[in-house]
């Protein structure tokens, strides 16, 4: 298997750039050799210094970052050209590894919960997964064009400090997702051990929670290089064991029962479609550029989009199909999945495969949680918290553990709270995604990296139009969604009655149109209002690569 740090098997510092010259000596946008230009902290970009003063390419003991596992020093800073490596196909590994979780099987039961048929659920799932991960692919292009984390690149649209609002929402979403994944891994471990007669009670859950949380926090704190290595192994192990699982339980599929599930209404189909979008790609879109930022600028944009969407979609699509067949074959199993999405899948397994199943379940969930905790730390920094990246990830890990304790030991209704969480935060993230995608579509040049950190630069400090648009799109979106299963969210849906959609109990109450409306308003509103602003930004001369006016957050 190819080394994920250099998939071509050749030194990335000597590959050919898009102008035909070695990337280690190509000319930068300021007219000087990119390997020796001055970075935004005043040091040579060929040996860049991170925002805490240490060389980003070397650990504290002087070992090479490319050969030894160490804590990543990069925070919100731009990745220097000499450190950018790989090709778009390396994006397959982190995205596949983060989405090859057996939780994808449970989405079959979640889809049937909307009262739709197999074919409706399959169509909603395929469209929701593919379209939402394509959005991730488009945002990932910003990473290779700007070399910075997603929520820093978003400053081009929202301003340097205005971007703190969507950064806070992004942070909440990623912390929420990592909490849910760790809680599910804990419950799955306890269920398996309980089935084997070796625990399953409170002590088992505590031990399992500590182990899976430790794996996640270590990956998030160590950073990009370790994550890429972990995701490669997680992909291989979980991929093989998942295939074995499917083979073992295939005889539980009863096609005649599945085919007999009655069809639902158009509103119920749309509700399932939106749930699939928020449960898959829209849950990742705010982190989509965090890994593509390490690719060379000459990387193909189509390749970035394609490998991101393909890597992220492949496993969920296959798992969804089989999950629909299982859930549609047994109403009892479908109901059990709502209470314990992972553990319920063990009830149809032979005893000898329970331990391997626990391995595939835990690794798949941890694979997603590791990417989340890495990105949540970056979002926290982008929100204005001034600490090293690894401390931000560690702080998020503490919150993650606290949230998982609540879900595992105190929460009664997992699915209701989960759907409420996804839909509620899915609305503002959809609005942000619409603004970000439209802003990216309007740009013809790479980002001016220095001005992403200067409140007085071309991107501005707190521009009101994108912020007002996002708030309006979010307000409209929340007015068109309902979450009756979560009592703390019953205030939503306030526009369903005024718009003639039947109110909170009508036919459109559970279609969750608000997510699609927020996405569309953010996108179309930005296309209509931001074109002149973007053209004015791109007409300005490149900013100086100095520390002057740089915001250290």
């Amino acid at each position: 298997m190819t080394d994920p740090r250099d998939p071509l098997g050749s030194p990335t510092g000597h590959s050919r750039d898009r102008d035909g010259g070695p990337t280690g000596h190509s000319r930068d946008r300021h007219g000087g050799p990119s390997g020796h230009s001055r970075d935004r902290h005043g040091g040579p970009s060929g040996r860049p210094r991170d925002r805490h003063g240490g060389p980003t390419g070397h650990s504290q003991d002087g070992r090479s970052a490319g050969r030894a596992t160490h804590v990543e020093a990069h925070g919100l800073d731009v990745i220097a050209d000499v450190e950018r490596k790989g090709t778009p196909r390396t994006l397959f590994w982190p995205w596949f590894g983060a989405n090859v979780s057996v939780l994808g099987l449970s989405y079959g039961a979640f889809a049937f919960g909307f009262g739709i048929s197999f074919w409706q659920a399959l169509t909603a799932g395929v469209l929701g997964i593919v379209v939402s991960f394509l959005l991730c692919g488009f945002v990932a292009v910003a990473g290779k064009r700007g070399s910075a984390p997603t929520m820093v690149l978003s400053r081009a649209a929202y301003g340097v400090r205005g971007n703190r609002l969507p950064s806070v929402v992004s942070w909440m979403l990623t912390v929420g997702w990592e909490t849910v994944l760790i809680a599910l891994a804990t419950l799955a471990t306890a269920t398996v051990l309980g089935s084997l007669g070796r625990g399953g009670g409170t002590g088992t859950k505590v031990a399992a929670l500590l182990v899976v949380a430790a794996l996640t926090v270590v990956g998030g704190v160590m950073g990009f290089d370790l994550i890429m290595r972990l995701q490669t192994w997680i992909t291989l192990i979980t991929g093989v064991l998942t295939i074995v699982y499917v083979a073992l339980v295939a005889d539980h599929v009863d096609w005649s029962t599945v085919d007999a599930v009655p069809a639902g209404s158009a509103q119920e189909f749309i509700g399932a479609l939106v749930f699939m979008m928020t449960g898959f790609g829209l849950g990742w879109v705010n982190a989509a550029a965090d890994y593509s930022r390490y690719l060379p600028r000459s990387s193909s944009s189509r390749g970035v989009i394609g490998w991101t969407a393909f890597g992220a979609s492949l496993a969920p699509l296959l798992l969804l199909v089989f999950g629909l067949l299982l859930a549609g074959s047994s109403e009892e199993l479908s109901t059990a999945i709502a209470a314990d999405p992972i553990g319920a899948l063990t009830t149809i397994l032979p005893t000898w495969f329970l331990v391997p199943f626990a391995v595939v379940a835990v690794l798949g969930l941890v694979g997603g949680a590791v990417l989340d905790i890495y990105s949540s730390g970056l979002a926290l920094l982008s929100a204005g918290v001034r600490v090293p990246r690894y401390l931000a990830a560690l702080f998020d890990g503490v919150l993650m553990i606290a949230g998982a304790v609540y879900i595992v030991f105190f929460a009664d209704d997992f699915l209701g709270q989960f759907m409420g969480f996804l839909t509620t935060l899915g609305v503002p993230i959809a609005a942000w995604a619409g603004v970000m995608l439209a802003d990216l579509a309007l740009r013809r040049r790479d980002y001016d990296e220095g001005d992403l950190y200067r409140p007085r630069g071309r991107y501005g400090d707190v521009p009101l139009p994108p912020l007002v648009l996002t708030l309006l799109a979010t307000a409209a979106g929340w007015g068109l969604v309902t979450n009756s299963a979560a009592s703390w969210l019953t205030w939503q849906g306030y526009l369903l009655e005024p718009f003639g959609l039947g109110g909170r109990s009508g036919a459109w109450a559970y279609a969750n149109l608000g997510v699609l409306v927020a996405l569309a308003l953010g996108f179309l509103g930005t296309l209509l209002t931001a074109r002149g602003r973007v053209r004015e930004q791109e007409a300005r001369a490149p900013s100086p690569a100095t520390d002057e006016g740089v915001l250290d957050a």
Side-chain angles (χ1 to χ4, degrees):
M1 182 174 53
T2 310
D3 185 342
R5 292 171 296 169
D6 183 7
L8 297 179
S10 60
T12 56
H14 298 283
S15 59
R16 309 298 292 180
D17 70 357
R18 60 183 172 181
D19 299 315
T23 57
H25 301 283
S26 60
R27 309 296 291 182
D28 72 357
R29 63 186 177 86
H30 304 294
S34 62
H36 301 285
S37 61
R38 308 296 290 180
D39 73 358
R40 68 181 182 89
H41 299 289
S45 65
R47 188 160 186 158
R49 303 191 70 80
D50 72 7
R51 64 191 186 91
H52 303 290
T56 60
H58 291 75
S59 58
Q60 294 300 316
D61 62 5
R63 293 176 297 176
S64 170
R67 296 186 180 180
T69 300
H70 66 288
V71 176
E72 180 187 355
H74 284 300
L76 299 185
D77 50 318
V78 169
I79 307 301
D81 284 348
V82 293
E83 291 188 86
R84 301 177 72 164
K85 53 204 173 185
T87 62
R89 69 170 175 266
T90 59
L91 294 173
F92 175 86
W93 297 106
W95 286 109
F96 186 90
N99 290 283
V100 68
S101 167
V102 292
L103 179 61
L105 293 169
S106 300
Y107 273 83
F110 298 161
F112 279 128
F114 284 87
I116 55 180
S117 69
F118 169 81
W119 294 109
Q120 286 178 314
L122 179 62
T123 303
V126 171
L127 287 176
I129 291 170
V130 173
V131 170
S132 63
F133 279 126
L134 273 174
L135 298 183
C136 290
F138 289 126
V139 173
V141 172
K144 73 103 176 178
R145 289 176 64 178
S147 318
T150 313
M151 298 313 296
V152 169
L153 299 170
S154 156
R155 291 174 176 177
Y158 284 92
V160 175
R161 278 187 279 226
N163 189 63
R164 288 178 176 177
L165 176 62
S167 293
V168 169
V169 177
S170 174
W171 173 73
M172 293 172 61
L173 181 64
T174 46
V175 169
W177 262 112
E178 68 204 41
T179 300
V180 167
L181 295 176
I182 292 306
L184 289 175
T186 301
L187 292 171
T189 303
T191 300
V192 168
L193 293 178
S195 300
L196 293 172
R198 299 187 179 183
T202 300
T204 302
K205 292 177 181 178
V206 170
L209 177 58
L210 291 176
V211 171
V212 292
L215 289 172
T216 302
V217 172
V218 168
V221 167
M222 295 300 289
F224 177 80
D225 282 337
L226 180 60
I227 288 173
M228 293 297 285
R229 296 177 189 180
L230 283 176
Q231 295 297 68
T232 301
W233 285 106
I234 287 174
T235 295
L236 296 174
I237 295 171
T238 54
V240 170
L241 292 179
T242 300
I243 292 173
V244 176
Y245 174 88
V246 169
L248 290 173
V249 301
D251 60 346
H252 288 269
V253 173
D254 183 347
W255 173 247
S256 61
T257 303
V258 174
D259 193 45
V261 176
S265 65
Q267 295 91 334
E268 290 167 332
F269 170 82
I270 294 173
L273 170 65
V274 173
F275 179 73
M276 290 295 174
M277 292 182 67
T278 55
F280 287 100
L282 285 180
W284 287 110
V285 69
N286 54 312
D290 292 353
Y291 303 93
S292 56
R293 65 180 175 138
Y294 287 88
L295 292 175
R297 296 181 190 278
S298 57
S299 300
S300 164
S301 294
R302 290 184 179 181
V304 170
I305 297 169
W307 283 105
T308 297
F310 177 65
S313 300
L314 180 59
L317 286 173
L318 297 176
L319 292 169
L320 173 69
V321 172
F322 196 72
L324 287 170
L325 293 173
L326 283 178
S329 299
S330 171
E331 185 175 348
E332 181 181 355
L333 176 63
S334 185
T335 302
I337 288 174
D340 186 359
I342 304 297
L345 298 172
T346 66
T347 59
I348 55 177
L349 277 174
T351 302
W352 67 267
F353 193 71
L354 288 177
V355 171
F357 176 83
V359 172
V360 68
V362 169
L363 284 180
L365 294 167
V366 166
V370 166
L371 263 66
D372 274 319
I373 197 170
Y374 180 76
S375 293
S376 70
L378 294 174
L380 186 61
L381 297 181
S382 186
V385 177
R386 298 188 180 186
V387 297
R389 183 204 59 80
Y390 60 87
L391 286 183
L394 189 61
F395 173 73
D396 289 350
V398 173
L399 293 181
M400 173 191 75
I401 293 171
V405 167
Y406 170 75
I407 293 176
V408 171
F409 297 103
F410 301 104
D412 296 325
D413 175 19
F414 170 80
L415 183 57
Q417 305 297 326
F418 179 53
M419 292 178 68
F421 161 75
L422 284 182
T423 305
T424 299
L425 288 185
V427 169
I429 284 297
W432 169 86
V435 172
M436 179 71 178
L437 289 166
D439 181 83
L440 182 62
L442 289 172
R443 297 190 181 276
R444 297 294 178 266
R445 299 182 180 180
D446 289 348
Y447 296 97
D448 185 289
E449 296 164 355
D451 278 354
L452 288 171
Y453 303 86
R454 294 185 179 91
R456 296 184 180 180
R458 73 190 64 215
Y459 302 123
D461 192 10
V462 188
L464 290 180
L467 290 171
V468 171
L469 176 61
T470 301
L471 292 174
L472 290 176
T474 299
W478 278 341
L480 295 172
V481 299
T482 58
N483 287 287
S484 59
S487 59
W488 51 285
L489 296 173
T490 54
W491 55 271
Q492 296 175 354
Y494 44 80
L495 293 179
L496 291 169
E497 185 69 35
F499 283 9
L501 297 175
R504 292 185 174 94
S505 58
W508 288 97
Y510 302 104
N512 289 328
L513 286 175
V515 175
L516 299 179
V517 168
L519 178 65
L521 287 176
F523 185 80
L524 295 176
T526 302
L527 285 182
L528 292 173
T529 63
R531 188 178 302 274
R533 177 170 175 260
V534 171
R535 292 292 172 265
E536 188 275 331
Q537 291 172 355
E538 295 190 333
R540 296 176 61 174
S543 63
T546 69
D547 282 338
E548 182 179 356
V550 170
L551 178 69
D552 187 24

